[in-house]
Amino acid sequence: MVNIKRLPSPILESYEWQWDGACMGVDSSVFFSPEAERGAKRQRREEAAKALCATCPVIEQCREHALRVQEPYGVWGGLTESERAKLLEQRVAS
């Protein structure tokens, strides 16, 4: 179960950056894995998501949001779940 206590309050300013995201209007299946997705298919989907993220003017805000709230699913700010987990581990170890 996701811990929603880490999420910012539902105030427009907390999420306003999302309106400028390159992902606006893109199907969420690009960023979030269907159940049991594995291997090359998952890698291709994540690479496509990361390519879109690379064009995004708010990639830094997106990435920091995902790290701050410990977003457990999907590609956020050009990082996969495992990449974010690794970064968080490094931050804790520092």
Side-chain angles (χ1 to χ4, degrees):
M1 174 71 57
V2 176
N3 181 356
I4 63 172
K5 292 178 182 177
R6 293 187 300 254
L7 295 175
S9 60
I11 299 172
L12 181 59
E13 291 80 23
S14 298
Y15 296 96
E16 195 168 28
W17 57 268
Q18 292 181 353
W19 291 106
D20 296 324
C23 60
M24 283 299 290
V26 175
D27 192 284
S28 63
S29 65
V30 172
F31 300 94
F32 296 94
S33 173
E35 190 173 330
E37 181 187 52
R38 303 264 188 273
K41 188 172 183 177
R42 182 179 185 122
Q43 186 175 2
R44 284 192 303 273
R45 182 191 50 76
E46 288 176 342
E47 287 172 1
K50 287 178 170 190
L52 185 57
C53 291
T55 70
C56 188
V58 294
I59 189 172
E60 293 299 323
Q61 294 99 314
C62 182
R63 180 178 296 150
E64 284 308 310
H65 165 78
L67 291 167
R68 185 176 53 256
V69 303
Q70 298 176 26
E71 183 62 53
Y73 306 109
V75 174
W76 288 78
L79 299 174
T80 64
E81 298 101 327
S82 59
E83 291 166 337
R84 289 192 305 276
K86 186 175 181 178
L87 271 177
L88 289 170
E89 286 176 18
Q90 291 171 350
R91 286 183 178 184
V92 169
S94 298

